Amino acid sequence: MSHRTAQILAALPSRSTLFRWLRRAVYTLLLLAFLLALGYAGFLAWVRQAMRVSLPQIDGTISLGVSAPVTVLRDHHGVPHIHAQSLDDLFYAQGYVTAQDRLWQMDILRRHGSGELAEIFGSSALSHDRMQRYLQLRHTADAAAASLSAEDRRYLDDYARGVNAFIDSHTGDKSSGPLPAEFRVLHYSPAHWQPRDTLLIALIMDQDLTTGYPAKLGRERVMAKLPPALSGDLYPVGSWRDHPPAQPVTDLTQPQQDIPDVPLDETQSKLAPPTLSPSADAEYIAALRTLRTDGSQFCDSCRNGSNEWVVSGAHTASGHPLLSNDMHLQHLIPEIWYIADLAAPGFHAAGVTIPGAPYVVVGHNDHIAWGFTNLGADVQDLYIEQINSQDQSAITSSDGKISWQPIEHRREVIHVRGHADVSLDVRVTAHGPIISPLLPHESRAISLRWTIYDSAAVKDPFLDIDSAQNWQQFCAAFSHYGSPAQNAVYADTAGNIGYHAVGWVPNRPNGLNATPIAGGQGEWQGYIPFDQMPSVYNPAEDVLATANSRVTPDDDANPLTLNWEAPYRNERIWKSLLGRTGMHREDMLALQNNVDSTLDHELAQRFAYAIDHTANASTRLRQAADLLRNWNGAVTTDAVAPTILAAARNAFWPMLLQPRLGNDWQAYQWAEHDYVQEELIVHQPARWLPPGYATWDALLTAAVERGLRAEHAPHNLNNWHWGNAHPAEVRHALYSLLPFMSSLTS
């Protein structure tokens, strides 16, 4: 050994020293892990305790600002039954009791509407707040609050006083208990409730149920790249499967009729979007998806949808009408609906309410019952504004004269927790706010016109609806209802049933607008009169049903929208109810919970047939075909075929559209896209067959294969159950920000 080697070895630590260092490191890591686990366990214990102590008081007496005693009884489901001696005390108590159960949800809802989430959640909510500030919901609520009638103001004030009584009694030195745990976890306190906040929550419902402008922007991009024949295939207006409530039964044995697309005028055909780079395209498409508020921003199959029907006594065992309603909105914890039973002298209504708002929205009183599905009327238009050098935009009057209106600038300041404030300059034209800043690389000044920007449309008629005793009073109350437009079904104790489309829908003399239009064109001329909206009373069929699909006949002077929901749910309801007698409540519930899909059953046969007629299909594809072919169409948790089919259908769209549209295939958004897919797969038009596929059988087989690969299907498809592949995950809003809190519910 050389002298140099010996020196190097002498400089290295001994084996015992290395062992001591390693042992100390392990002990340190174990100690840190123990402390973290201890801290985590302590935090969970604290949160659990915070949740327990903030539960509502359900026994005893509470001294509040009511003029006479109010009784609150909770049934075994926890539903409050509130009995008061006056309407003022009733709505005061409703505000207090709702705050007991839902105060944090109420606060988050108003912050969501006003664009104030970043103030408590930080920069992660900034993009959301920015969108809400440009849409001007808070300003709209302020304007609507200023125009409330004396009666509406009175009862909204009563409700707000009740909410604030709960807030005041749970804050400060003399609090009777802590605020809900979410406030303590996020370390903030709620501001007092105002009538404006109730209107904000109503506007959130408008936003969720009437936002259609992203589809118009997407359609503009798609139509710029497709010839009319192909774009017409993608954008049908209704279908041969539709059954409008006032129309006779559709004869489904007749050949289907192609419903032509509503033609665009010359100005629309010239308004092609600017050509962007691929990266800019991707940003634009991502923005369009973010702007959707119906659940489809998460996936195309996540769209909201509601079902309702009413049958007369001719179909029931009791001889009295039965009304069934299920309003599907996004699943939340807690849900958006809050069940309550409200009673005062001369007033009684029970059903679902909205946390943050008085009255019953859907339910019954002692004489009538009613239900809703979303009408889906087109209440938004996009205008490409002409702006001159004086910061004015052009408006065209009904006689064709152009006038110039000044653009208003509204300064919005977003407070961001842990960061500097963000200021926005929101420009507002006579049509509405310019939303172009929400669209990346958009050089045009695009404004949004929306019925809610008319303060008169933001009305709350539910006190009159809750009090109605017959069809005439029911319709009179809804004749003043503005938004969101709904399908309302009705039944009463006298045995009558009815349907009426309600809400303010713009009257467009030049027709509905499928895409953005040139500023100054397509101006609204008021709203469609209430008595011209679709309606029917005591129909000959003794059945009425809607499920968001088309409610207007082909020749209706007021088509209401171009973008109806797919017809399949409504079709199944009518088929299930017509001709039946002796029905009970259990039959209504069974139909609401029905999991059979005629569409999927049909498409499963088509995909199986394609595989059968494809040479050299793999053993795995043959297994898929057998499973699809032998399936009965019920989408149960243990079924395999619908899992295969969903994967194939998801793979089908980019395979069909991307060769013609590039990245813009993702801009395709149409409520009837399921019907479009059915028509294409069933009729297999040669004009749509993508390059590289000799036949439609080859295309459909490839879609199954690609879908299985994309969804990581197991080798043995018999183990690929729908329930495991598509779990319904309903999570508290905090879980997305504090994921570890999910263990609180385990």
Side-chain angles (χ1 to χ4, degrees), residues 377-380 431 449-459 479 481-483 485 503-509 523-533 558 560:
D378 185 357
V379 297
Q380 296 177 323
H431 294 124
R449 189 169 189 183
W450 192 356
T451 50
I452 67 167
Y453 297 145
D454 182 345
S455 296
V458 188
K459 291 183 178 180
S479 67
Y481 171 78
S483 190
W504 290 11
V505 181
N507 179 26
R508 301 172 173 93
E523 300 294 347
W524 298 357
Q525 303 297 321
Y527 302 99
I528 298 172
F530 182 76
D531 59 6
Q532 293 182 25
M533 296 286 279
N558 301 305
L560 301 183

Side-chain angles (χ1 to χ4, degrees), residues 128-352:
H128 166 273
D129 286 359
R130 185 170 174 268
M131 176 181 71
Q132 298 299 82
R133 299 301 180 94
Y134 276 109
L135 294 178
Q136 290 288 284
L137 264 64
R138 182 173 61 178
H139 186 277
T140 302
D142 285 333
S147 63
L148 285 171
S149 68
E151 183 180 61
D152 287 339
R153 166 66 68 171
R154 173 181 174 177
Y155 293 133
L156 291 189
D157 278 336
D158 288 336
Y159 186 90
R161 288 190 302 107
V163 175
N164 293 333
F166 178 83
I167 293 174
D168 291 341
S169 65
H170 287 73
T171 55
D173 297 334
K174 298 182 180 180
S175 67
S176 60
L179 288 169
E182 294 93 340
F183 290 106
R184 302 172 71 187
V185 169
L186 294 170
H187 196 62
Y188 83 101
S189 297
H192 271 177
W193 201 260
Q194 304 175 52
R196 185 275 304 265
D197 300 325
T198 293
L199 297 176
L200 255 177
I201 289 178
L203 290 173
I204 292 169
M205 298 296 288
D206 275 287
Q207 185 177 19
D208 286 347
L209 297 175
T210 68
T211 293
Y213 71 92
K216 295 188 177 187
L217 290 165
R219 180 167 179 167
E220 180 188 43
R221 299 185 67 82
V222 171
M223 292 182 68
K225 294 185 176 181
L226 289 181
L230 295 186
S231 60
D233 291 337
L234 294 182
Y235 295 102
V237 183
S239 75
W240 60 276
R241 294 180 180 273
D242 293 329
H243 189 157
Q247 295 301 110
V249 180
T250 303
D251 185 355
L252 298 180
T253 65
Q254 295 298 315
Q256 75 168 79
Q257 300 296 314
D258 291 329
I259 300 175
D261 195 12
V262 175
L264 301 177
D265 59 40
E266 293 182 2
T267 58
Q268 293 174 1
S269 65
K270 296 176 182 178
L271 295 176
T275 301
L276 303 177
S277 66
S279 60
D281 271 334
E283 289 182 61
Y284 194 97
I285 300 304
L288 290 185
R289 185 171 290 275
T290 301
L291 295 175
R292 304 176 190 174
T293 57
D294 60 359
S296 63
Q297 68 268 40
F298 306 113
C299 65
D300 286 334
S301 61
C302 296
R303 297 179 62 87
N304 304 327
S306 301
N307 305 314
E308 68 176 4
W309 58 85
V310 59
V311 296
S312 78
H315 294 272
T316 67
S318 67
H320 299 290
L322 283 174
L323 187 151
S324 183
N325 187 204
D326 187 2
M327 298 179 291
H328 302 314
L329 295 176
Q330 295 180 38
H331 290 302
L332 304 169
I333 297 179
E335 280 285 1
I336 187 60
W337 303 117
Y338 180 75
I339 302 175
D341 183 359
L342 309 176
F347 179 91
H348 177 225
V352 297

Side-chain angles (χ1 to χ4, degrees), residues 392-600:
Q392 298 171 321
S393 61
I395 294 292
T396 302
S397 63
S398 57
D399 59 4
K401 294 181 180 179
I402 295 179
S403 61
W404 293 91
Q405 303 292 328
I407 294 177
E408 180 184 354
H409 291 256
R410 297 174 185 169
R411 184 170 181 266
E412 296 279 351
V413 179
I414 304 174
H415 303 300
V416 185
R417 191 170 197 166
H419 296 81
D421 291 347
V422 174
S423 296
L424 304 175
D425 175 27
V426 179
R427 297 181 294 164
V428 182
T429 72
H431 294 124
I434 293 177
I435 63 167
S436 302
L438 299 176
L439 304 168
H441 312 285
E442 179 57 75
S443 59
R444 301 168 297 175
I446 301 178
S447 64
L448 172 66
R449 189 169 189 183
W450 192 356
T451 50
I452 67 167
Y453 297 145
D454 182 345
S455 296
V458 188
K459 291 183 178 180
D460 192 343
F462 287 104
L463 178 60
D464 291 336
I465 294 167
D466 292 353
S467 305
Q469 299 185 35
N470 53 49
W471 173 251
Q472 291 73 27
Q473 293 178 6
F474 180 75
C475 291
F478 265 121
S479 67
H480 303 292
Y481 171 78
S483 190
Q486 299 289 293
N487 296 300
V489 292
Y490 165 96
D492 62 33
T493 54
N496 302 298
I497 65 172
Y499 160 82
H500 212 302
V502 301
W504 290 11
V505 181
N507 179 26
R508 301 172 173 93
N510 296 325
L512 293 158
N513 302 300
T515 59
I517 57 177
Q521 300 181 18
E523 300 294 347
W524 298 357
Q525 303 297 321
Y527 302 99
I528 298 172
F530 182 76
D531 59 6
Q532 293 182 25
M533 296 286 279
S535 68
V536 62
Y537 184 60
N538 287 332
E541 294 172 331
D542 291 313
V543 174
L544 290 166
T546 72
N548 311 117
S549 54
R550 189 165 61 118
V551 299
T552 57
D554 295 347
D555 57 352
D556 198 287
N558 301 305
L560 301 183
T561 185
L562 303 176
N563 194 7
W564 297 103
E565 288 287 343
Y568 303 104
R569 286 180 289 117
N570 192 49
E571 183 184 41
R572 173 161 289 279
I573 294 168
W574 283 97
K575 285 184 175 180
S576 300
L577 296 177
L578 287 174
R580 292 183 63 183
T581 58
M583 287 188 286
H584 297 80
R585 289 187 303 173
E586 292 76 12
D587 299 309
M588 305 292 102
L589 183 61
L591 182 53
Q592 289 285 6
N593 290 328
N594 184 275
V595 296
D596 295 324
S597 174
T598 302
L599 169 66
D600 287 318

